[in-house]
Amino acid sequence: MVQSPIIPVVGELIRSHPGVISLGQGVVSYPPPRQAFDQIAEFLADPELHKYQAVYGVPRLLELIEAKLRDENGIDLKRADQRGRVVVTAGGNMAFVNALLAVADAGDEIILQTPYYFNHEMAITMANCRATLVPTDENYQLRPDLIASAITDRTRAVVTVSPNNPTGAVYSESSLREVNEICRARGVYHINDEAYEYFTYGGAKHFSPGSIGGSGEHTISLYSLSKAYGFASWRVGWMVFPEHLFKAVNKIQDTILICPPVVSQFAAAGAMRVGAGYCRAQVERLASVREKVMSELAALGDCVVVPPADGAFYFFLKLDTEMKPLALVERLIKDHGVAAIPGNAFGMENGCYLRVAYGALRPETVAEGVGRLARGIGIITGKR
Ligand SMILES: Cc1ncc(COP(=O)(O)O)c(C=O)c1O
């Protein structure tokens, strides 16, 4: 059975308890750059643009994406050993569904790392495929040895998400290279979700496996404007994938979407012309929010384990309690005025885990929200 999406469940609890500070949904607090909206006048000036446009995206956006991939990610679509295609999608989630439907049939297996991003697992179940769950290590880092031994004749793809939702872990270049090589050698696809590519802190560096020479035939890279440019409701992302999957992806997208909303693609082009600097300035601000969250959580001592999280805007806590995570979240909301997401939504069934998201917090709210969380956890676990 497909699990119910957890965000609306927690959202409903938050709405029925006014004043709750949400460390729940993975969104950013900032809007798109103004230049994104300037493009809308251009869109409106051409009545032809109200008609369906190309399945794979409008030329002005595709050109910007190709240049960005080359300059920032080291993915040169024109190089023989990286040759691939780009299709603009209605967000990163849709890019994942396109990839899944293009590479797998009912009954096939897709390898996810736990904790996983719940919409990936839900999509796999909806497609009548099977998610093979491979644990990460105690710091939520990849275990290439376990990934290799989980591959069977039915495996079609290995999915990695870096920087990671829900853990904030950033996978090293070497571990991503290792997984990519396992996929090449075993004849399965490597799907890498890079929605949080700009969100790294300290010395952590984002790496795109699509840049590896010779990876173009088996690597699918997924991107999103939702976080980077505050674009969540505009629904724009894209996928980079091997040429030989183009027909399949085209069929899938034509059936589900026909074409990505053109007004959103124009706005996206405006945002991407501003470029990564827009997001990087926000990440600098988020870095200090992250420091505050870390120091509050550290003060809780040994009732909560907080593995390193050098990316995205999440921490994934392990709590020393027998309580069920949803019951814990309910108590946090009702008694302590703060919300987080229960860890079982990310496939962590043994133990009590919580995902804490700080991307939407303003500095003035962060101290209060995380203070409430720390107090609440201390009281509920009986450690304070
Ligand atoms: C890893 C990951 N991929 C994809 C998405 C969805 O992005 P989009 O809004 O582009 O569909 C999210 C959103 O939280 C995410 O965390």
Side-chain angles (χ1 to χ4, degrees):
M1 195 181 76
V2 180
Q3 65 165 307
S4 297
I6 188 68
I7 301 289
V9 174
V10 174
E12 195 47 48
L13 277 169
I14 295 173
R15 269 188 294 284
S16 54
H17 293 86
V20 167
I21 294 178
S22 175
L23 306 174
Q25 198 169 10
V27 287
V28 294
S29 61
Y30 54 88
R34 184 188 42 75
Q35 291 87 333
F37 308 129
D38 295 345
Q39 293 289 309
I40 294 171
E42 263 191 63
F43 167 80
L44 291 173
D46 183 353
E48 281 301 304
L49 293 172
H50 296 299
K51 299 177 181 156
Y52 296 125
Q53 301 295 313
V55 174
Y56 42 82
V58 298
R60 69 174 63 203
L61 181 56
L62 286 167
E63 278 163 25
L64 286 160
I65 291 172
E66 282 192 26
K68 175 247 182 293
L69 288 168
R70 187 190 58 231
D71 299 344
E72 295 179 4
N73 303 90
I75 301 176
D76 186 344
L77 300 171
K78 302 212 161 55
R79 237 176 72 179
D81 62 342
Q82 291 179 338
R83 190 171 300 142
R85 296 297 290 255
V86 174
V87 164
V88 178
T89 59
N93 268 11
M94 186 178 179
F96 182 78
V97 172
N98 282 357
L100 174 69
L101 296 180
V103 305
D105 292 319
D108 285 343
E109 297 167 3
I110 307 290
I111 293 180
L112 294 183
Q113 324 302 317
T114 53
Y116 52 62
Y117 170 49
F118 43 71
N119 285 135
H120 287 169
E121 189 269 343
M122 290 160 75
I124 292 164
T125 309
M126 273 180 207
N128 281 325
C129 295
R130 209 169 75 79
T132 304
L133 304 184
V134 171
T136 49
D137 72 10
E138 68 282 4
N139 288 328
Y140 304 132
Q141 291 291 324
L142 293 172
R143 294 281 314 267
D145 52 332
L146 297 186
I147 293 171
S149 53
I151 294 175
T152 72
D153 290 350
R154 296 300 312 250
T155 305
R156 293 292 170 265
V158 174
V159 180
T160 52
V161 180
S162 181
N164 192 267
N165 176 11
T167 65
V170 180
Y171 299 150
S172 66
E173 174 173 340
S174 62
S175 64
L176 284 166
R177 280 183 181 273
E178 210 178 325
V179 171
N180 194 268
E181 171 55 23
I182 292 168
C183 292
R184 190 199 60 74
R186 304 286 294 275
V188 303
Y189 291 97
H190 181 186
I191 302 177
N192 190 51
D193 183 326
E194 306 187 19
Y196 299 92
E197 61 176 326
Y198 299 133
F199 296 84
T200 57
Y201 310 96
K205 286 221 168 0
H206 173 68
F207 177 71
S208 301
S211 66
I212 300 170
S215 69
E217 284 294 296
H218 67 279
T219 305
I220 303 177
S221 312
L222 313 179
Y223 296 88
S224 166
L225 266 70
S226 294
K227 323 286 169 178
Y229 292 97
F231 240 66
S233 77
W234 291 80
R235 310 307 306 134
V236 183
W238 72 88
M239 57 196 296
V240 184
F241 56 95
E243 173 76 42
H244 65 257
L245 292 176
F246 185 68
K247 251 193 181 162
V249 170
N250 226 37
K251 277 189 212 168
I252 295 157
Q253 178 139 307
D254 183 62
T255 302
I256 298 176
L257 190 67
I258 300 186
C259 67
V262 176
V263 66
S264 291
Q265 293 189 70
F266 269 60
M272 287 188 66
R273 268 190 209 124
V274 177
Y278 182 74
C279 180
R280 295 226 162 89
Q282 305 286 350
V283 173
E284 268 174 42
R285 184 185 55 77
L286 269 179
S288 67
V289 174
R290 174 176 169 272
E291 294 288 330
K292 282 200 187 116
V293 177
M294 280 201 302
S295 67
E296 282 280 350
L297 293 175
L300 275 170
D302 59 5
C303 65
V304 51
V305 177
V306 190
D310 297 333
F313 33 73
Y314 304 111
F315 285 100
F316 200 68
L317 320 180
K318 183 170 191 336
L319 285 92
D320 182 14
T321 171
E322 297 295 308
M323 263 181 103
K324 292 260 177 281
L326 185 57
L328 179 87
V329 167
E330 280 173 358
R331 281 218 24 213
L332 284 171
I333 292 174
K334 287 180 186 153
D335 300 344
H336 301 282
V338 64
I341 303 295
N344 52 313
F346 308 94
M348 298 301 265
E349 296 299 341
N350 297 319
C352 186
Y353 293 86
L354 278 187
R355 187 192 75 175
V356 172
Y358 56 88
L361 292 181
R362 299 183 183 284
E364 58 276 18
T365 333
V366 71
E368 177 63 20
V370 183
R372 289 184 193 182
L373 179 77
R375 252 188 328 275
I377 290 176
I379 292 168
I380 294 167
T381 59
K383 300 284 163 54
R384 261 196 186 173

